[in-house]
Structures are given as C-alpha cells and as structure tokens.
Amino acid sequence: MIIARSVKELRKVLDHVSESIGFVPTMGALHSGHRSLIDSARRDNGYVVVSIYVNPTQFLAGEDLSQYPRREEADFKICELCGVDLLFYPETMYENDEVSIKAPDVRGFILEGASRPGHFDGMLTVVAKLLNAIRPTRAYFGKKDAQQLALITQMVNNLVMNVEIVAMETMREKDGLALSSRNVYLNEVQRSEALKLSSSLKSATKMVMQGNFKSSEICHAMLCILEPLDVEYVAVVNRAFESIPEVILGNTIVLVAARVGTTRLIDNVWM
Ligand code: AMP
C-alpha cells in the first residue's frame, strides 16, 4: 500500500493508473461501516484509494474537532488488510483565504444543516477537493449520513463532476446501534441509551409495515421512545429531503438526531 501525504505525491502515483479507481473518503477511526465501503470499492474497481482526513472546516466552533478519535496505526493496518492500493493521508487540504463550495440554501440548512450551520459548506468543499485530486471512477458514501449523501449527489450533478456516487447501506452492531467513530465517546450506560435511536427507527418501520403511513404519528411514536434523550430532530422526508405528510414507499427516509450525554448521534432508515 502506497501512502501519499500531499496532492502532489498522490498525483505522481495516480497519473500512471489506467484502471478504474474506487475512492472512499473517511475521517479515520475506521470501523466495519468504513470497511464495507472499502470492500465494495475493491470489488468494483481495479484500483482503490482511501483518504483519511479530519476536515476542520466541517466542524463548528465548540464541536469535537480536537477530540475526534485518531487511530493512525490501526487505520493503516485496516486499509492494508482490505487491499487498499493508495492511502491519501494529507496533513492539510487548505491554504489561507480559499474559494469554497456553498451548500444549497434550503436542503443545506434543514435538519443537520439547521443544527450545524456551515457544516455542509465545509463537507462539500473538502469532498470536491478530494474528488478533483483523485478523479475516481466511483466514490462510496454511507446512507447513514443521508443528507450528506444527497448533497454530494447534488453537487456532482450541479457542478457536472465526472464520478459515479455509490450509496452504501448502514452497518450496525448486533443490537442495532449504527456504527460510528463517535461511539467511542459513549460509556456503558450511554451506549445502552444510544440504542433508543435505532429502536425508534425500528418502531417507525414496524408502523409502516402495519399500514400506518402518517408522518406525524410515526414521529410521535419515535419521540416517545427517544424521550429521555436530548432529541434534535425526528423527520420523515422524501429522497429530495422535502417533508412529506405520509410515507411513500421507495421514496422515504426517516431520520433522527439526538445527544446522548454530550455525544451527538444520527441514524436513519430508508423505506
Ligand atoms: P466518516 O469517517 O464518519 O466521515 O465516514 C466516512 C464514510 O463512511 C461516510 O460516507 C459515511 O457515511 C460512511 N459510514 C459511516 N458510518 C457508517 C456505517 N455505520 N455504515 C456504513 N457507512 C458508514
């Protein structure tokens, strides 16, 4: 596995790659969710690039940038074991006073964008930089970050970027907790409280399977399960992230964001 620490080093290698390139951008502290993206990239492409970069511009003041888990040695091992050809591990992706991408006014500032204003500007900017640096055939993103995935897909369309975006299912612990690098912040009690997020989504799925499609009733039932937690939002939206009064099968995402202690967790289910 080659490790490139700058765009220049990266291009020196990739300029000689003629196979299809699968790219998995990450912030490190790799878990089985990341691995499923890397495995798919490995299956679909001749050459696999993973990036590990904790992007400062997508963290708001007071968020966990300085505490975000960093596991360099373990991450390098995981990438090597997964058959990654090139690991992009830049120290920084920025100069001073840069041009940047702005998230769309509506879709970029609801839900996650309302709770974390500016987050998506930073996320889109770094993803655009990474896609331009690596020029992959396909880039892999998790449905766990559903709004992120929708905005990246929109950016690629709006800016006519030549890459296929591949959406991957959410990987979970056996008990339902969605894997996240931030789960390491949870103590034992919080870990069991965090299960309320996936439980609330399971109950939403059950209601729909039993024929109750009403968004307001689904949200109410979810809030009852989530109750002791500090809930930021529960929402039923279509794939364009517009609120819908009733679930439309094949075109719905039910989302939740809540704090367990000081740890902010998100989860969702696609119906
Ligand atoms: P992160 O390192 O948190 O920025 O995530 C890197 C990529 O992994 C993003 O596309 C995430 O959506 C994806 N991802 C994170 N958690 C999971 C999970 N539990 N299952 C599948 N993909 C995930």
Side-chain angles (χ1 to χ4, degrees):
M1 183 174 78
I2 297 169
I3 298 171
R5 293 174 189 268
S6 68
V7 174
K8 202 167 160 197
E9 281 179 30
L10 173 86
R11 285 310 327 162
K12 223 191 250 172
V13 179
L14 293 184
D15 281 344
H16 300 285
V17 173
S18 54
E19 300 145 290
S20 65
I21 297 176
F23 172 45
V24 181
T26 80
M27 297 208 299
L30 301 179
H31 50 64
S32 301
H34 298 113
R35 285 188 66 154
S36 82
L37 273 58
I38 298 170
D39 289 345
S40 286
R42 187 66 284 168
R43 271 196 296 276
D44 301 346
N45 301 279
Y47 200 90
V48 175
V49 180
V50 170
S51 65
I52 297 179
Y53 181 60
V54 181
N55 173 37
T57 65
Q58 71 187 66
F59 287 77
L60 274 61
E63 288 190 345
D64 56 341
L65 174 62
S66 58
Q67 293 108 57
Y68 197 83
R70 286 160 172 88
R71 309 252 185 285
E72 181 177 306
E73 212 177 303
D75 286 353
F76 283 21
K77 263 266 141 50
I78 290 170
C79 287
E80 210 153 26
L81 289 172
C82 289
V84 171
D85 295 296
L86 188 150
L87 174 62
F88 184 43
Y89 192 64
E91 195 145 307
T92 181
M93 289 294 289
Y94 297 96
E95 296 169 13
N96 288 327
D97 194 27
E98 288 207 350
V99 170
S100 61
I101 306 275
K102 197 184 152 308
D105 286 342
V106 178
R107 217 167 293 165
F109 290 87
I110 52 170
L111 304 172
E112 284 301 286
S115 297
R116 307 178 70 194
H119 163 69
F120 285 132
D121 297 353
M123 180 282 289
L124 289 171
T125 299
V126 83
V127 171
K129 279 169 170 278
L130 290 167
L131 292 175
N132 285 337
I134 291 151
R135 301 171 213 156
T137 318
R138 301 180 186 87
Y140 296 77
F141 294 90
K143 288 181 171 181
K144 158 132 190 315
D145 298 283
Q147 201 175 354
Q148 164 174 292
L149 171 63
L151 290 171
I152 289 167
T153 305
Q154 183 179 350
M155 174 177 74
V156 162
N157 288 330
N158 290 166
L159 301 184
V160 202
M161 297 167 88
N162 187 21
V163 57
E164 181 189 334
I165 300 299
V166 184
M168 299 292 303
E169 295 304 326
T170 300
M171 294 291 121
R172 298 177 180 282
E173 303 276 11
K174 275 205 185 77
D175 57 10
L177 182 69
L179 294 175
S180 163
S181 304
R182 290 190 167 99
N183 289 350
V184 298
Y185 299 148
L186 303 169
N187 64 31
E188 212 172 305
V189 175
Q190 291 168 335
R191 166 77 182 64
S192 71
E193 292 200 315
L195 279 177
K196 292 191 192 308
L197 275 83
S198 53
S199 303
S200 73
L201 293 167
K202 270 185 212 153
S203 96
T205 305
K206 197 166 162 203
M207 285 173 79
V208 171
M209 278 166 48
Q210 289 169 346
N212 188 346
F213 287 61
K214 286 216 169 63
S215 302
S216 57
E217 291 181 23
I218 290 169
C219 289
H220 176 75
M222 286 176 68
L223 286 169
C224 290
I225 292 169
L226 292 160
E227 216 237 283
L229 301 184
D230 177 9
V231 179
E232 281 189 11
Y233 61 78
V234 293
V236 179
V237 298
N238 62 19
R239 301 280 158 88
F241 273 82
E242 295 153 339
S243 284
I244 44 175
E246 293 206 343
V247 168
I248 308 158
L249 288 178
N251 187 20
T252 297
I253 311 173
V254 181
L255 307 114
V256 53
R259 272 176 204 283
V260 181
T262 54
T263 305
R264 187 174 184 282
L265 298 174
I266 60 171
D267 201 354
N268 62 66
V269 63
W270 296 49
M271 298 173 170

